[in-house]
Amino acid sequence: RKGAAMATATSGKKGETFRDDSRKVEVRISNIEAAKALSDAVRTSLGPRGMDKMVKQADGEVIITNDGATILDKVKVVHPAAKMLVELSKSQDVNAGDGTTSVVVVCGSLLKKCLELLNKGVHPTVISDSMGKACKKAAEILEEMATPVNIQDREALIRAATTSLSSKVVSQYASLLAPMAVDTVLKVINPENPNRVDLRDIAILKKGGGTIDDSIMLDNGLLLNQKPCTSSGGPTRVANAKIGLIQFCISPPKTDLESTVVVNDYQQMDRILKEERNYILSIVKKIRKSGCNVVLIQKSILRDAVTDLSLHYLAKAKIFVVRDIERDQIEFISKTLGCLPVAHVDHLTPDKLGKADLVEGMPVGNSRVTKITGVEGTGATSCCLLRASNKLVLEEAERSLHDAQCVIRCLVQKPFMLPGGGAPEVEVSRKLGAWAKTLTGMESYCVKGFAEALEVVPYTLAENAGLSPMQMVTELRNHHQNGNANHGINVRKGCLTNMLEENVVQPLQVTLSAFTLATECVRMILKIDDIVPIR
């Protein structure tokens, strides 16, 4: 009893509190485990020998993809910390466009190291701050490693695009898709503001019923998904075309309010029909008067944009008609053809028309598209047609082409290259390890952990290629220690080679962005010590 009284006395001292930290530890571990599980799920699809994932959606649709951002975007994630990894891969997709799998894998590996450090009793804030410092140092090391690239050097850009495509489902068509990606991006670069490349200026038209070899890129032209209207016997091709982009309807007017007109004799009926005819005819005459011989008509919601009668008159006037142009296509079309959208027939003047050498319908698979070629003074846009045997391959080809275009965009914005094949990660890991020895205290441990975590990239590359990961990474470390900073894992030959000689290169921005975003995400997850559900 005496002992108990003493214990009460000591515990009752002012300022001494016993806090139960078990809840915080549990929350942290649960967050890290959830994020790690998601990272391990996409890890197998990293690199040229990575596996593809088949995602089956609730509506029965199937997607086959290798792109980390697409996989995570389609997966239904419940855990809040795992959702952060989904957002992370989306950020990488927006920021760099490529490396969406790598960023999640690096993040998972960093979290694993954090868990080890937490179990040793290191405080989360210390780990978080050290990770930030290590990331800054890693960025400096990467910038030292990078080699500058000339944007005018088309071959160098094609090499970077080919590396990006090598890990995709459509990798065997890289020789066709890589130059296509490079040319489409170079065409939309604005010389006055070269750093801003807007990929929305590149139109990709997808059509099934062919092979990827049938894909083409149009020079100085435009492809429209809509087929020409030939039902009333209108022209199917027009040379020296003057193109009008119209947003008004060529059909009888309707009242704004729902109303009923009662006609009680035939003369009035004839008068209505006659008025309608004259109304349409006057519009067609005004279009003809402006010198326009091709009209692209925007889709209308309130009433039919064209009627059979107006198509008949337009065909008689030898005007080529394409209808149902979507509203979101208008800006792209006017930018490409140099024509202005016209909202009223009286405003249709010759200066608002676009000029082209030829407009014709072109059969693609079992449908037709409208092809406009020889556009005068084409704006900074480009257009390509992708073909594939089925919908799954077609969508994956589009995603792969988009990734390759993003790689070129990164090089335009920051013209520096890094070797691929896990070389930059091992080099950064080696130099950070050496730097960690100069630090003191817990910081040194944390930076060493960061350095070790980066080795997950070459380890995974070797593992996915069926090589011995331990042996490969050890040999790779040895090469880098001996000063071969550009050596990486050559998955095709199953050995270590100089990546720059093998033409395996990636933009500096992709790796930089992956490291900074992954570190940010890890620091955010570390700072969370409780989850408060609100009903």
Side-chain angles (χ1 to χ4, degrees):
R1 195 179 293 160
K2 197 175 173 187
M6 275 185 72
T8 322
T10 48
S11 62
K13 274 186 189 169
K14 210 172 181 186
E16 272 193 27
T17 49
F18 170 70
R19 284 201 312 275
D20 182 18
D21 278 349
S22 61
R23 163 98 179 132
K24 293 177 185 177
V25 174
E26 277 168 23
V27 168
R28 262 196 203 101
I29 290 175
S30 133
N31 284 348
I32 291 176
E33 289 296 346
K36 249 171 58 188
L38 201 59
S39 151
D40 288 341
V42 291
R43 213 184 101 182
T44 51
S45 61
L46 181 73
R49 290 282 187 271
M51 298 296 165
D52 302 329
K53 300 274 182 270
M54 190 183 251
V55 182
K56 186 166 182 256
Q57 290 174 289
D59 56 1
E61 199 167 311
V62 175
I63 298 173
I64 296 175
T65 182
N66 185 295
D67 182 44
T70 311
I71 298 168
L72 292 178
D73 190 34
K74 301 293 177 196
V75 172
K76 284 209 167 28
V77 179
V78 182
H79 199 288
K83 275 184 184 160
M84 287 162 78
L85 253 70
V86 177
E87 293 301 320
L88 168 72
S89 75
K90 277 187 193 164
S91 306
Q92 174 76 357
D93 201 24
V94 172
N95 210 349
D98 198 22
T100 48
T101 315
S102 317
V103 73
V104 178
V105 170
V106 169
C107 184
S109 179
L110 286 171
L111 286 170
K112 195 174 166 191
K113 280 287 168 211
C114 291
L115 198 56
E116 287 174 19
L117 290 165
L118 286 171
N119 289 341
K120 285 179 183 166
V122 185
H123 195 275
T125 314
V126 176
I127 302 176
S128 171
D129 293 346
S130 311
M131 291 276 170
K133 280 187 186 171
C135 185
K136 265 195 186 141
K137 183 75 176 168
E140 288 167 23
I141 297 168
L142 284 174
E143 279 165 8
E144 284 166 21
M145 265 187 89
T147 48
V149 60
N150 181 7
I151 290 304
Q152 305 307 322
D153 182 3
R154 185 166 171 266
E155 292 305 311
L157 297 181
I158 289 176
R159 287 200 291 274
T162 309
T163 306
S164 166
L165 288 166
S166 67
S167 66
K168 309 289 182 208
V169 179
V170 290
S171 55
Q172 66 268 37
Y173 297 104
S175 55
L176 171 77
L177 293 176
M180 195 188 278
V182 172
D183 294 340
T184 48
V185 175
L186 289 181
K187 196 160 176 270
V188 300
I189 292 175
N190 181 358
E192 289 159 19
N193 186 4
N195 288 344
R196 198 183 154 275
V197 179
D198 191 352
L199 293 182
R200 285 173 299 190
D201 289 339
I202 301 170
I204 300 175
L205 195 63
K206 300 178 294 187
K207 287 284 176 188
T211 62
I212 294 180
D213 289 323
D214 301 334
S215 302
I216 54 165
M217 179 193 159
L218 263 196
D219 282 328
N220 292 0
L222 173 69
L223 280 171
L224 293 173
N225 209 356
Q226 292 82 359
K227 62 179 191 287
C229 288
T230 51
S231 55
S232 303
T236 52
R237 54 176 289 156
V238 174
N240 294 331
K242 291 184 176 59
I243 305 162
L245 180 58
I246 64 176
Q247 294 180 301
F248 55 84
C249 301
I250 313 176
S251 60
K254 262 186 181 177
T255 50
D256 288 345
L257 297 166
E258 190 65 44
S259 59
T260 312
V261 180
V262 179
V263 181
N264 52 16
D265 73 17
Y266 283 115
Q267 282 178 324
Q268 285 179 326
M269 189 81 179
D270 285 346
R271 258 183 66 199
I272 290 174
L273 290 173
K274 200 171 174 186
E275 282 296 321
E276 280 186 4
R277 263 209 305 274
N278 291 343
Y279 178 79
I280 291 172
L281 211 57
S282 71
I283 291 180
V284 173
K285 278 180 182 168
K286 282 176 184 171
I287 292 174
R288 191 80 199 118
K289 193 181 167 192
S290 69
C292 169
N293 55 8
V294 175
V295 288
L296 310 177
I297 305 174
Q298 185 184 323
K299 210 179 208 174
S300 170
I301 306 166
L302 298 173
R303 62 183 215 227
D304 298 334
V306 284
T307 60
D308 290 344
L309 188 61
S310 55
L311 283 175
H312 168 72
Y313 285 136
L314 286 166
K316 272 197 162 178
K318 296 279 184 289
I319 294 175
F320 185 101
V321 182
V322 182
R323 57 195 267 192
D324 292 344
I325 300 288
E326 296 289 347
R327 194 185 177 88
D328 50 9
Q329 285 179 288
I330 295 284
E331 191 185 341
F332 184 83
I333 293 172
S334 61
K335 199 172 184 181
T336 309
L337 301 177
C339 59
L340 290 171
V342 180
H344 193 277
V345 69
D346 293 343
H347 300 155
L348 190 63
T349 50
D351 58 317
K352 289 185 178 160
L353 304 178
K355 295 183 179 66
D357 291 345
L358 182 67
V359 178
E360 60 179 340
M362 180 174 100
V364 175
N366 54 5
S367 62
R368 291 176 76 79
V369 296
T370 306
K371 183 181 176 189
I372 304 173
T373 47
V375 178
E376 265 184 36
T378 174
T381 61
S382 57
C383 190
C384 52
L385 172 68
L386 270 187
R387 305 290 307 279
S389 54
N390 63 36
K391 194 176 163 209
L392 299 177
V393 179
L394 195 56
E395 286 180 352
E396 182 60 9
E398 188 198 10
R399 281 190 289 267
S400 307
L401 186 63
H402 179 262
D403 277 10
Q405 286 168 343
C406 288
V407 164
I408 307 303
R409 184 183 67 183
C410 286
L411 287 172
V412 171
Q413 289 167 347
K414 207 172 194 164
F416 288 95
M417 294 263 206
L418 284 174
E425 285 83 3
V426 173
E427 185 64 12
V428 169
S429 174
R430 185 182 74 79
K431 287 190 172 170
L432 277 183
W435 183 60
K437 287 175 185 165
T438 64
L439 301 171
T440 52
M442 289 299 178
E443 215 172 40
S444 160
Y445 265 104
C446 299
V447 172
K448 193 163 174 283
F450 186 96
E452 285 170 8
L454 293 182
E455 287 184 354
V456 72
V457 175
Y459 187 93
T460 308
L461 283 176
E463 194 175 41
N464 288 349
L467 309 168
S468 161
M470 285 290 187
Q471 186 189 345
M472 279 290 168
V473 175
T474 312
E475 278 181 34
L476 195 52
R477 271 201 218 124
N478 194 15
H479 272 291
H480 280 253
Q481 200 66 45
N482 296 336
N484 302 330
N486 294 331
H487 267 56
I489 296 174
N490 185 337
V491 265
R492 290 196 183 84
K493 294 179 183 167
C495 59
L496 304 176
T497 50
N498 186 330
M499 287 288 124
L500 294 181
E501 287 168 13
E502 294 286 336
N503 292 335
V504 178
V505 284
Q506 61 193 38
L508 168 66
Q509 194 170 332
V510 170
T511 314
L512 255 184
S513 164
F515 281 9
T516 43
L517 289 174
T519 312
E520 264 176 36
C521 186
V522 169
R523 291 183 70 177
M524 207 192 276
I525 289 175
L526 273 178
K527 289 274 175 82
I528 297 167
D529 72 344
D530 207 346
I531 295 175
V532 185
I534 295 174
R535 289 278 170 266

